[in-house]
C-alpha cells in the first residue's frame, strides 16, 4: 500500500531538505527521498554540498591554510615551530567527522519537524486522480511507493566529464576524488579554473603539490568583476603559487598506470604534461537520469535542465523543481531559498527570490566574493555608474590578522546612488559580502553605507571606506 503525503521532495541536498522542512512547518505532511550513500555504504543526507562539495572542501581549505600558516606566517608572531608535518589521514578524518555531524543534524531536523526520511532513488510512475505516484528503489529493488499531491524535484547536479576520459577517482578525479586524496601528489593537474579547480588546487598546493591549472577561457573568472579577478589571478599565482594557464585548448588526455598525460595547445604551441593526479572540473550537469521524466512528460530544456517558470513550476500540475536541476546559478544557498519559496507557494503565499542579489563566494586565500552587477556588465548595458574602492592594506584588523591583502569595490547608480554591486577579495569576505546583499535587498544607496557606523577595528571598515570613496569623500584613501 502506498504512503500518502501532501508534499514529496526528491533529493536531500540543500534545496531538498530545506523544502521538506519548510513544507512540514507550514502544516503539510512531507517526505524527502534521497539516494546518497557515504563511502561506508550508509545513507547520508545533505547532497553533494555536504557530502562531497561545499562543506568538506571548506574543511580541507582550513586545514591546508593552517599548515601553511605554521610554515610561513607564525614566525612573524614570534611563534617558532620546527618539524611541522601534515597527517593527511587525520585531515580527512576531521573532514568526515564534520560531514557526519551535519548529516546527522539534518536527520534530527527531519524528526523534529516530522518529515518522513526515505532512502532510495525516486522516480515518477504516473498519476492517480489528483496525486502523483512515485516509486522508490534501492539497489534495483522497489522499497516503497509514495503518492503525493505536490512533488518538488531537487535532484541536483553531477560533475561534467571530459569527453572520452573515464573518471576513476584514482588517477582522474572529479570533486569527490579531489576531496579524498590519501596523499599529497607531487604533480597535480587541474582542468578548469572555476570554483572547484581553484579551491582544490589551493588545498593541495599548500600541502606541497606542484599544481598546474589549465583553463580554456582566455579570461580568468569571467563571471567576476575583472578588477577583482585580475587581483585574484596575481595573488593566486604569485603568493599561492598556482600555475594557471589561460586560453588552453585541451587535446588528448590519456591515463596510464601511475600518471595521466595531457596534451594541449597554448598560444599556438603544442605542450604535453604529465601529472600524478588530474582533477577535471569543467562544470556540472543536471541530474535527471532515472527520474522518470519521460514517463509522465516532465519537460526538460535544451540543456537537459528541468524546465520551470519564474516560480519554479514545471509543465506538470503540482510538480516543481529547484536548485542545480533548474536554470540559474548552481549555488547551495540559491537552492535553499528556492525550496523555501516553493513550499510557501504551495501554502498560498507569495514569496520571491531575487536572482540579482545572490552572493557568490570562492574560498581561496584570500577569499573572493561578490553580489550584483560587475563593472563590465554595467558598461555593456549602458548604465551610468560611479564606483568607490578601498583596500585592506591599511586596515588595522587585517594587519593584526596578518591578512592585509585585497580590495573592496562598490558600484552605484550615478543618478540615484542605489548600490548595484559589491565586489571584493580579501580576508573573510565570504562574511562581509552579506552587508552588500542586505543593502541591495533594501535598495540602499552607497551613501547609506557611508553613513552607517562600522565597528573599529573591523574588516567591515573597508566596505565603509569604499562607500565613502564612491562619493569622493574617502577618509583614509
Amino acid at each position: 500500500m502506498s504512503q500518502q503525503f501532501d508534499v514529496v521532495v526528491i533529493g536531500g541536498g540543500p534545496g531538498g531538505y530545506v523544502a521538506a522542512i519548510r513544507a512540514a512547518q507550514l502544516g503539510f505532511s512531507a517526505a524527502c527521498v534521497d539516494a546518497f550513500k557515504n563511502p561506508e555504504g550508509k545513507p547520508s543526507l545533505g547532497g553533494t554540498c555536504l557530502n562531497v562539495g561545499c562543506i568538506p572542501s571548506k574543511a580541507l581549505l582550513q586545514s591546508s591554510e593552517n599548515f601553511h600558516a605554521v610554515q610561513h606566517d607564525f614566525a612573524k608572531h614570534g611563534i617558532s615551530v620546527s618539524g611541522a608535518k601534515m597527517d593527511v589521514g587525520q585531515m580527512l578524518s576531521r573532514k568526515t567527522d564534520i560531514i557526519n555531524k551535519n548529516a546527522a543534524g539534518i536527520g534530527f531536523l527531519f524528526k523534529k519537524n516530522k518529515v518522513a526520511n526515505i532512502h532510495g532513488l525516486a522516480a515518477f510512475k504516473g498519476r492517480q486522480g489528483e496525486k502523483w505516484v512515485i516509486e522508490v528503489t534501492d539497489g534495483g529493488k522497489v522499497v516503497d511507493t509514495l503518492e503525493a499531491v505536490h512533488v518538488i524535484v531537487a535532484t541536483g547536479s553531477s560533475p561534467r566529464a571530459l569527453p572520452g576520459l573515464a573518471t576513476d577517482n584514482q588517477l582522474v578525479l572529479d570533486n569527490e576524488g579531489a576531496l579524498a586524496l590519501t596523499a599529497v601528489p607531487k604533480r597535480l593537474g587541474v582542468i578548469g579554473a572555476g570554483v572547484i579547480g581553484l579551491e582544490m588546487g589551493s588545498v593541495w598546493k599548500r600541502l606541497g603539490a606542484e599544481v598546474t591549472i589549465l583553463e580554456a577561457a582566455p579570461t580568468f573568472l569571467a563571471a567576476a568583476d575583472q578588477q577583482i579577478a585580475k587581483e585574484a589571478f596575481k595573488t593566486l599565482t604569485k603568493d599561492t603559487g598556482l600555475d594557471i594557464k589561460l586560453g588552453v585548448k585541451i587535446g588528448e588526455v590519456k591515463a596510464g598506470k601511475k600518471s595521466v598525460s595531457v596534451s594541449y595547445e597554448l598560444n599556438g604551441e603544442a605542450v604535453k604534461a604529465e601529472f600524478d593526479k588530474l582533477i577535471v572540473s569543467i562544470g556540472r550537469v543536471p541530474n535527471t537520469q532515472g527520474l522518470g521524466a519521460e514517463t509522465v512528460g516532465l519537460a526538460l530544456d535544451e540543456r537537459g535542465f528541468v524546465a520551470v517558470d519564474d516560480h519554479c513550476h514545471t509543465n506538470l500540475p503540482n510538480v516543481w523543481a529547484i536548485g542545480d536541476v533548474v536554470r540559474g546559478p548552481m549555488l547551495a544557498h540559491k537552492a535553499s531559498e528556492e525550496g523555501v519559496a516553493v513550499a510557501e507557494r504551495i501554502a498560498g503565499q507569495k514569496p520571491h527570490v531575487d536572482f540579482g542579489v545572490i552572493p557568490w563566494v570562492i574560498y581561496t586565500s584570500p577569499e573572493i566574493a561578490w553580489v550584483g552587477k560587475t563593472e563590465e556588465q554595467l558598461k555593456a548595458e549602458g548604465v551610468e555608474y560611479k564606483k568607490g574602492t578601498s583596500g585592506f592594506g591599511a586596515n588595522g584588523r587585517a594587519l593584526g590578522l596578518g591578512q592585509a591583502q585585497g580590495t573592496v569595490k562598490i558600484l552605484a547608480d550615478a543618478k540615484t546612488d542605489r548600490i548595484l554591486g559589491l565586489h571584493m577579495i580579501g580576508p573573510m569576505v565570504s562574511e562581509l559580502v552579506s552587508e552588500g546583499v542586505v543593502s541591495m535587498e533594501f535598495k540602499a544607496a552607497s551613501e547609506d553605507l557611508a553613513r552607517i557606523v562600522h565597528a573599529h577595528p573591523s574588516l567591515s571598515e573597508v566596505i565603509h571606506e569604499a562607500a565613502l570613496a564612491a562619493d569622493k569623500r574617502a577618509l583614509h584613501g
Side-chain angles (χ1 to χ4, degrees), residues 16-51:
Y17 85 75
V18 168
I21 290 171
R22 186 66 185 124
Q25 289 176 345
L26 290 165
F28 297 110
S29 59
C32 182
V33 187
D34 187 73
F36 192 91
K37 289 183 180 179
N38 64 21
E40 297 175 356
K42 297 179 180 178
S44 183
L45 293 164
T48 292
C49 177
L50 172 54
N51 290 282

Side-chain angles (χ1 to χ4, degrees), residues 424-442:
M424 53 185 85
I425 176 173
M428 301 302 290
V429 295
S430 57
E431 306 295 331
L432 297 177
V433 73
S434 292
E435 187 165 343
V437 175
V438 172
S439 298
M440 291 177 66
E441 280 286 7
F442 282 97

